[in-house]
């Protein structure tokens, strides 16, 4: 069942047009594009998307207009990815106030304060997250990113790790109608250069065959001294319009990352003997290297996908999808020092020299049937589906050395000798399967209700085929929503949703590392509102979410005790304020507390790594006096974050300011764009996050530049 991957996809609804050429966007699924002023800049091709999406894929509900979706969804559009020169997770999630990111090469973060594990990352709606969260994605292969906030078990299914915070869906680039020939040269300080190419077209009788190919390569030193990142990426998509009702598609994604001199993160909230934790020192100069020169971490990932979209009747469509992926951390004799511990307030530290070889194989598939029907005066928008996935893990990890040093100077120690170890032993697997159904019932022109649910099971197996405690869980996860549209393009909704998760595994560095914990049932209530003003979309949500609490206790053991309850309010705005000014902005207040832990030291304390206030604003202004020139700036704020569950130590609040510009023109008859940005323009040294009792550093002042041309 886990490999049974039939998927096929959403209703064939008219797609929204993005801009081709330099910033061409894959159509937003679900609704036809509104007519917009094409503007005077030919470099933009069709109208820019104004950083404002109108629709998104909502998993089990299929593609829906955002104004009809009773969930909080934020779409990071293609224009925004291009204009901000996004290269990894933190580059685009800074545009969402509900997200906090650990700034390391193995991506981790939270939505609404809840961890995003592999189940929180999707590729075209498929749970292939183990390939997506390791290393860094090849963002040039991605058209847009859909961020769903809240319990996602019904919409996307349970998985191998936490899902209450939400899900991040990477939507790949696909063939388009118009010929596409784009190329770009990129730069990032100190000396990282890259090249990108994006090519697509249609051919054959009636142009029924389409292709989209994009590739990229970057290499060189980053803004931190001696930090080097080499990335090679390729992605391709082919489709065949068999007839007007049936489209078949195949896709391939590949990325290879090698990192030298990565900055470490620091784990632990107390000393090994349980004594008070070490005071957190001030953040060091972010430009200076900490890790030894031999520190190397490598990763590569591959995903293959198949998809069929079939309109089987006037109001009914079938979508089938299958995806298979592999993520590898190959061992070639090098060691990494990607994490360590702080020893005192003076910044003395100990890095762990790690030796690792690992691989994860994942397969996922689903089938969804969408349609409409009427019963008397009621209209039903129905979905029926089935899904399954399997994730197998292989690997060896060991700490082979302890290296003393200090935050203010580079660790100078010889590389440890390689320790013989078995290559890629099988360590276990997780399987999921389930069926789901939903009905959005239109009661009249103003009121509608959603009822839906997923019956799913998650099973975890050890290397010997046995199951750990709590390794098998089966449960029905319901979702219900009441929706009211007082006027056109306005929605008020109330939603209840449940999530289902395995208990997870104790992380590396704990006394019970690798141990599985009991399964978790999570719950969420949300009251929200959305207004589509045409050029601007405004959203607001009040939410109350609860999940069993897992954390590192004073004995450095990963435990499950009490509840993690998050209550908050979230506000967002995206789109065009005037003809010359467009923005993406948001703010979130989050009261995240540990409840019923049975320990006075942690009960009713804030959850570690979760700030109570976050805010962001990114604005672009077109300078009419200089045709083609646009100026932009971004401001990003995070309140202080506690490092430990007893709230004894915290990292300070921080604000980061970015500035930049874009110039669109024509050179030799070709649409051309020049983009430049200065991130952390104030060159502030700061601790960026304390997620999961782990401290990560921010990035120093970084200059990015891109020159793009359409052929």
């Amino acid at each position: 069942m886990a490999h049974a991957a039939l998927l096929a996809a959403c209703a064939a609804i008219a797609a929204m047009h993005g801009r081709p050429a330099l910033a061409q966007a894959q159509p937003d699924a679900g609704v036809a594009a509104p007519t917009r002023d094409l503007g005077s800049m030919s470099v933009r091709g069709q109208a820019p998307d104004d950083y404002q999406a109108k629709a998104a894929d909502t998993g089990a509900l299929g593609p829906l207009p955002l104004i009809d979706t009773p969930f909080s969804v934020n779409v990071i559009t293609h224009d925004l990815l291009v204009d901000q020169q996004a290269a990894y997770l933190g580059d685009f999630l800074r545009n969402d106030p509900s997200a906090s990111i650990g700034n390391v090469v193995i991506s981790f973060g939270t939505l609404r304060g809840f961890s995003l594990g592999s189940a929180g990352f999707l590729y075209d709606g498929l749970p292939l997250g183990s390939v997506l969260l390791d290393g860094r994605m090849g963002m040039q292969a991605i058209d847009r990113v859909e961020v769903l906030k809240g319990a996602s078990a019904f919409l996307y299914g349970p998985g191998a790790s936490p899902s209450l915070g939400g899900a991040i869906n990477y939507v790949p680039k696909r063939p388009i109608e118009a010929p596409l020939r784009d190329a770009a040269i990129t730069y990032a300080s100190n000396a990282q250069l890259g090249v990108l190419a994006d090519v697509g077209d249609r051919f054959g009788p009636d142009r029924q065959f389409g292709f989209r190919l994009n590739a990229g390569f970057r290499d060189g030193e980053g803004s931190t001294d001696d930090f080097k990142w080499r990335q090679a990426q390729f992605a391709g998509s082919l489709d065949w319009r068999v007839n007007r009702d049936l489209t078949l598609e195949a896709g391939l994604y590949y990325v290879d990352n090698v990192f030298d001199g990565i900055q470490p993160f620091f784990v632990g909230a107390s000393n090994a003997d349980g004594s008070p934790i070490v005071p957190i020192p001030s953040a060091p100069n972010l430009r200076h290297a900490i890790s030894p020169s031999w520190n190397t971490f490598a990763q590569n990932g591959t995903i293959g996908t198949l998809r069929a979209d079939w309109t089987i009747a006037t109001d009914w469509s079938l979508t089938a999808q299958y995806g298979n992926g592999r993520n590898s951390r190959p061992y070639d004799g090098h060691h990494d020092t990607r994490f360590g511990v702080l020893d005192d307030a003076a910044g003395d530290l100990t890095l762990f020299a790690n030796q690792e070889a690992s691989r994860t194989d994942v397969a996922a598939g689903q089938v969804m049937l969408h349609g409409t029907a009427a019963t008397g005066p009621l209209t039903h928008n129905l979905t029926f589906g089935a899904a399954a996935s399997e994730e197998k893990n292989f690997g060896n990890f060991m700490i082979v050395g302890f290296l003393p040093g200090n935050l203010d100077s580079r660790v100078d120690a010889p590389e440890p000798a390689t320790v013989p170890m078995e290559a890629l032993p099988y360590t276990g697997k997780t399987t999921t399967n389930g069926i789901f159904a939903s009905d959005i019932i239109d009661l009249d022109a103003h009121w509608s209700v959603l009822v839906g649910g997923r019956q799913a099971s998650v099973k975890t197996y050890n290397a010997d085929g046995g199951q750990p405690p709590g390794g098998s869980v089966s449960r029905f996860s319901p979702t219900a929503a009441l929706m009211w549209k007082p006027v056109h393009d306005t929605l008020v909704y109330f939603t209840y949703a449940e999530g289902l998760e395995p208990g997870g595994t104790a992380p590396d560095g704990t006394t019970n590392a690798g141990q599985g914990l009991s399964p978790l049932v999570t719950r969420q209530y949300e009251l929200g509102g959305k207004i589509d003003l045409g050029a601007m979309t405004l959203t607001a949500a009040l939410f109350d979410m609860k999940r069993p609490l897992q954390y590192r206790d004073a004995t450095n053991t990963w435990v499950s005790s009490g509840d993690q309850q998050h209550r908050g309010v979230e506000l967002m705005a995206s789109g065009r304020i005037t003809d010359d000014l467009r923005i993406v902005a948001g703010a979130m207040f989050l009261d995240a507390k540990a409840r019923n832990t049975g320990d006075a030291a942690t009960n009713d304390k804030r959850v570690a790594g979760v700030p109570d206030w976050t805010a962001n604003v990114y604005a672009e202004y077109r300078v009419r006096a200089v045709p083609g020139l646009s100026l932009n700036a971004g401001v990003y704020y995070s309140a202080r974050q506690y490092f430990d569950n007893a709230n004894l130590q915290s990292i300070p609040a921080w604000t980061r300011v970015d500035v930049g510009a874009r110039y669109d023109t024509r050179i030799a008859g070709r649409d051309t764009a020049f983009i430049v940005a200065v991130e952390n323009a104030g060159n502030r040294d700061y601790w960026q996050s304390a997620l999961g009792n782990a401290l990560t550093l921010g990035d120093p002042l970084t200059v990015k530049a891109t020159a793009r041309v359409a052929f």
Side-chain angles (χ1 to χ4, degrees):
M1 181 69 176
H3 283 93
L6 299 165
L7 275 190
C10 313
I13 311 175
M16 294 181 66
H17 292 289
R19 59 183 180 189
L22 297 179
Q24 188 279 331
Q26 173 65 20
D28 286 319
V31 290
T35 301
R36 294 189 184 134
D37 178 12
L38 296 183
S40 60
M41 290 294 100
S42 60
V43 70
R44 296 281 184 176
Q46 297 181 17
D49 63 28
D50 290 337
Y51 307 150
Q52 177 197 26
K54 295 289 186 177
D57 192 327
T58 54
L61 297 179
L64 284 177
L66 293 179
I67 198 65
D68 295 332
T69 306
F71 300 94
S72 181
V73 181
N74 179 23
V75 179
I76 311 299
T77 69
H78 186 272
D79 280 15
L80 191 56
L81 293 173
V82 169
D83 289 351
Q84 292 187 330
Q85 305 174 83
Y88 92 111
L89 185 72
D91 287 342
F92 61 81
L93 282 185
R94 59 183 163 171
N95 300 296
D96 195 313
S98 69
S100 294
I101 302 301
N103 188 27
V104 293
V105 299
I106 304 170
S107 300
F108 68 91
T110 66
L111 288 175
R112 292 181 172 175
F114 287 100
S115 298
L116 279 169
S118 61
F121 291 86
L122 307 152
Y123 187 82
D124 199 23
L126 291 174
L128 302 172
S130 294
V131 187
L132 306 175
L133 60 81
D134 211 359
R136 290 187 174 179
M137 280 286 292
M139 290 303 301
Q140 56 269 34
I142 303 304
D143 177 67
R144 65 185 183 275
V145 183
E146 299 169 342
V147 184
L148 169 77
K149 275 71 74 69
S152 58
F154 161 65
L155 295 178
Y156 293 111
S161 47
S163 59
L164 179 60
I168 295 173
N169 183 30
Y170 291 99
V171 181
K173 293 178 178 177
R174 288 192 166 92
I176 59 171
E177 293 299 326
L180 174 67
R181 306 286 189 274
D182 284 358
I185 299 174
T186 66
Y187 164 83
S189 57
N190 292 328
Q192 190 176 103
L193 298 176
V195 292
L196 309 174
D198 193 359
V199 178
D201 208 342
R202 305 202 69 83
F203 62 95
D206 301 321
R207 295 173 61 80
Q208 75 266 42
F209 298 104
F211 72 91
R212 184 75 175 271
L213 304 174
N214 68 82
F217 180 80
R218 72 177 76 230
D219 194 10
E221 185 179 26
S223 53
T224 298
D225 294 341
D226 298 324
F227 166 65
K228 296 179 181 179
W229 175 23
R230 184 175 75 249
Q231 181 187 72
Q233 178 272 331
F234 172 81
S237 180
L238 302 173
D239 72 18
W240 175 25
R241 295 172 179 170
V242 180
N243 53 49
R244 69 176 186 177
D245 296 326
L246 176 62
T247 299
L248 304 179
E249 179 185 307
L252 175 67
Y253 164 84
Y254 172 78
V255 67
D256 182 84
N257 289 295
V258 178
F259 304 93
D260 295 324
I262 56 177
Q263 291 288 67
F265 63 94
F266 300 95
V267 300
S270 65
N271 297 318
D273 62 0
S275 60
I277 61 176
V278 171
I280 299 172
S282 299
N285 185 329
L286 297 181
R287 188 169 295 280
H288 292 171
I290 297 174
S291 297
S293 58
W294 45 262
N295 171 25
T296 298
F297 178 82
Q299 173 270 342
N300 60 73
T302 305
I303 293 174
T305 59
L306 297 172
R307 176 171 177 145
D309 293 282
W310 181 24
T311 302
I312 58 179
T314 301
D315 295 318
W316 288 88
S317 65
L318 180 73
T319 295
Q321 293 172 273
Y322 174 75
N324 195 296
R326 169 169 291 183
N327 180 68
S328 296
R329 298 181 187 177
Y331 179 66
D332 60 0
H334 291 288
H335 301 83
D336 73 76
T337 56
R338 63 181 184 265
F339 66 95
V341 294
L342 295 171
D343 297 328
D344 55 41
D348 292 324
L349 56 85
T350 301
L351 296 183
F352 304 157
N354 310 306
Q355 182 174 305
E356 179 180 15
S358 64
R359 191 184 85 214
T360 299
D361 294 336
V362 57
Q366 64 181 359
V367 177
M368 291 187 290
L369 178 67
H370 300 288
T372 60
T375 56
L378 304 180
T379 300
H380 301 266
N381 299 279
L382 299 163
T383 299
F384 304 96
S389 67
E390 180 179 78
E391 180 180 295
K392 292 183 177 180
N393 296 291
F394 306 81
N396 244 323
F397 173 86
M398 61 181 67
I399 297 174
V400 297
F402 300 93
L403 314 176
N406 189 275
L407 286 173
D408 294 322
S409 61
R410 186 167 198 164
V411 172
D412 183 15
E415 184 171 7
T418 297
V419 177
M421 64 181 186
E422 181 183 353
L424 297 177
Y426 173 63
T427 59
K429 69 177 182 178
T430 298
T431 64
T432 71
N433 61 75
I435 56 175
F436 54 90
S438 68
D439 187 3
I440 299 177
I441 307 168
D442 295 329
L443 305 177
D444 58 28
H446 300 286
W447 292 90
S448 58
V449 295
L450 161 68
V451 290
R454 184 183 296 250
Q455 176 64 46
S457 68
V458 183
K459 296 182 179 180
T460 303
Y461 298 89
N462 297 322
D464 60 5
Q467 292 187 296
S472 180
V473 56
S474 179
R475 185 180 174 88
F476 179 74
S477 298
T479 293
L482 176 64
M483 294 170 278
W484 176 46
K485 284 193 167 184
V487 295
H488 182 64
D489 287 336
T490 299
L491 174 67
V492 178
Y493 64 89
F494 177 76
T495 302
Y496 171 77
E498 290 187 6
L500 174 65
E501 307 170 16
T505 302
D508 294 335
T510 57
T511 59
N512 58 336
Q515 177 183 332
L517 301 184
S518 299
L520 311 174
V521 176
T522 57
R523 295 176 174 83
Q524 170 192 297
Y525 300 88
E526 179 169 317
L527 174 64
K530 304 179 182 183
I531 302 176
D532 186 343
L533 301 175
M536 174 71 68
T537 300
L538 306 175
T539 66
L542 292 166
F543 54 88
D544 186 340
M545 310 163 73
K546 183 181 289 187
R547 173 180 182 266
L549 179 66
Q550 295 184 344
Y551 60 96
R552 188 191 312 262
D553 68 10
T555 65
N556 198 33
T557 301
W558 196 255
V559 299
S560 179
S561 177
D563 295 310
Q564 188 174 341
Q565 185 169 26
H566 294 196
R567 296 169 173 166
V569 58
E570 175 186 279
L571 305 172
M572 292 198 67
S574 60
R576 192 173 289 276
I577 296 179
T578 70
D579 289 342
D580 299 322
L581 178 64
R582 55 181 179 168
I583 69 165
V584 174
M588 182 179 69
F589 171 74
L590 183 60
D591 180 30
K593 297 286 182 63
R595 312 283 189 187
N596 306 313
T597 66
D599 182 353
T602 58
N603 198 49
D604 290 331
K605 299 297 178 65
R606 285 196 62 84
V607 176
V610 179
D612 55 1
W613 280 100
T614 52
N616 62 278
V617 59
Y618 176 82
E620 181 196 69
Y621 179 74
R622 180 172 59 177
V623 182
R624 288 185 176 266
V626 185
L629 178 64
S630 297
L631 304 178
N632 61 68
V635 180
Y636 309 95
Y637 170 78
S638 173
R640 72 171 179 171
Q641 303 172 45
Y642 286 107
F643 181 43
D644 64 295
N645 300 294
N647 293 180
L648 300 176
Q649 294 288 331
S650 63
I651 61 173
W654 55 265
T655 301
R656 195 184 96 177
V657 178
D658 301 346
V659 296
R662 174 176 177 130
Y663 181 62
D664 297 325
T665 187
R666 289 180 68 84
I667 298 177
R670 306 294 184 185
D671 291 339
T672 305
F674 298 96
I675 307 171
V676 64
V678 181
E679 298 178 349
N680 190 7
N683 199 24
R684 177 172 182 172
D685 299 326
Y686 64 102
W687 292 106
Q688 178 167 306
S689 75
L691 299 177
N693 309 121
L695 293 174
T696 66
L697 292 163
D699 285 325
L701 184 149
T702 302
V703 177
K704 293 182 178 179
T706 301
R708 307 179 69 91
V709 61
F711 293 94

